Amino acid sequence: MTIPATDRVPAVNGIPAFGLGTWQNTDPEACTNSVKRAIEMGYRHIDTAQVYENEQAVGKGIAQASVSRDELFIATKVWIDNLAHDDVIESTKESLSRLQLDTVDLLYVHWPAGAYDPEETLPAFDELYSDGYINGIGVSNFEPRHLDQARDILDTPIMANQVECHPMLQQPELREYADQHGHALVAYSPLARGGVFENDTIVSIAESHGVSAAQVSIAWLLEQGTVPIPKATSKDHIEDNYEALTLELSNEEIERINNISERERKVDPDFAPW
């Protein structure tokens, strides 16, 4: 099934508004095949990270897909151990080598943690942008105070903030901040690590449409103007997630999801900034 994403949702701040996440997709052959399959199905946004240890497999999938590079949006993230100025530069070039790419469309600071020093880290991202190694600068897991500081230091506008976001962690403050300051909010773990399959509201809406709970969660995120990047490896899951682009929720259904009282953060490492 092929559904051009632009037929359902526009790009958000230049980012295709739906993508493929690759966290924990560490089997090289499976990762390569899933990336290739997703791209050929119609996905145009592929997300990876240094710490995922799959950039090489992702790069092979990109290379093997029968879609030209200029139609794709590729993002990766610099891990917290590599956030000193020179390490940002060196590790990004290593990422590009593994990905078999001359440039990535978006490079994130993965967390404001570890070696992160705004005055040292962020100028390195500006340099990579100026030198043509990256087409956009992003941050991940940033709270408003970190975003304020980063915006003051960077010469280049922030393109996106990637955070955990799903019906049980709706991130209204960060969504509002993104709207006010003109960057995208990219939603990782958009299925709440499987939690949406156990939420009565999501399941009820899914049953009324004859679709999966995953599709309902993704469709709701799209309606909020966020950019969901669900992880999937099997053909069935990649296709099922993609079919969310055809699902239209009613205003009443959106309001029911908005009113979900459960709040559960699935990603909460010791070094998290909240």
Side-chain angles (χ1 to χ4, degrees):
M1 183 176 190
T2 300
I3 310 167
T6 52
D7 288 354
R8 174 66 173 86
V9 287
V12 178
N13 197 29
I15 303 172
F18 177 72
L20 178 73
T22 62
W23 178 73
Q24 288 189 331
N25 194 350
T26 54
D27 178 271
E29 184 176 359
C31 183
T32 294
N33 289 339
S34 64
V35 169
K36 177 178 182 290
R37 181 180 294 119
I39 291 172
E40 293 183 343
M41 186 179 296
Y43 286 70
R44 292 295 177 264
H45 176 181
I46 307 296
D47 181 271
T48 183
Q50 294 173 353
V51 76
Y52 298 172
E53 297 185 345
N54 64 6
E55 287 175 318
Q56 186 169 11
V58 168
K60 287 181 179 179
I62 294 167
Q64 290 177 14
S66 56
V67 173
S68 64
R69 169 67 181 95
D70 60 7
E71 293 184 41
L72 302 177
F73 187 96
I74 310 301
T76 192
K77 310 176 197 73
V78 180
W79 184 237
I80 63 175
D81 294 343
N82 296 327
L83 291 173
H85 180 280
D86 292 350
D87 293 339
V88 169
I89 304 293
E90 181 179 354
S91 70
T92 299
K93 291 179 179 179
E94 291 169 352
S95 288
L96 290 170
S97 177
R98 287 190 291 268
L99 287 164
Q100 304 178 53
L101 299 175
D102 295 326
T103 185
V104 289
D105 299 286
L106 180 56
L107 183 72
Y108 292 97
V109 178
H110 204 150
W111 292 83
Y116 180 67
D117 177 346
E119 298 286 353
E120 182 177 353
T121 302
L122 297 174
F125 277 71
D126 271 330
E127 288 178 31
L128 288 165
Y129 179 84
S130 296
D131 292 342
Y133 291 105
I134 65 176
N135 295 329
I137 294 174
V139 295
S140 186
N141 301 297
F142 274 41
E143 296 286 282
R145 68 184 186 277
H146 306 103
L147 290 160
D148 287 342
Q149 185 179 43
R151 290 174 55 248
D152 285 343
I153 294 170
L154 284 166
D155 294 328
T156 312
I158 293 173
M159 193 175 200
N161 183 21
Q162 184 178 135
V163 300
E164 180 182 351
C165 188
H166 46 73
M168 285 80 81
L169 188 68
Q170 299 190 9
Q171 301 283 22
E173 183 181 14
L174 291 176
R175 282 164 37 205
E176 182 179 358
Y177 189 104
D179 289 343
Q180 288 178 347
H181 296 283
H183 63 253
L185 195 74
V186 177
Y188 73 72
S189 297
L191 310 183
R193 302 285 171 91
V196 297
F197 299 102
E198 300 173 1
N199 182 275
D200 291 343
T201 299
I202 301 295
V203 170
S204 173
I205 294 171
E207 289 175 349
S208 70
H209 285 273
V211 302
S212 69
Q215 288 188 38
V216 173
S217 184
I218 293 167
W220 176 81
L221 286 162
L222 291 169
E223 291 287 351
Q224 307 309 306
T226 63
V227 179
I229 50 169
K231 179 192 74 173
T233 54
S234 71
K235 179 180 182 295
D236 288 346
H237 286 159
I238 291 170
E239 183 169 316
D240 184 71
N241 291 343
Y242 196 53
E243 288 177 348
L245 296 174
T246 66
L247 175 61
E248 295 190 20
L249 301 174
S250 69
N251 290 336
E252 184 268 339
E253 289 168 334
I254 292 169
E255 190 62 22
R256 285 170 62 193
I257 297 172
N258 290 346
N259 289 333
I260 290 174
S261 60
E262 179 184 354
R263 291 292 176 265
E264 185 175 358
R265 188 182 291 278
K266 298 291 186 177
V267 180
D268 193 15
D270 291 342
F271 54 75
W274 38 80

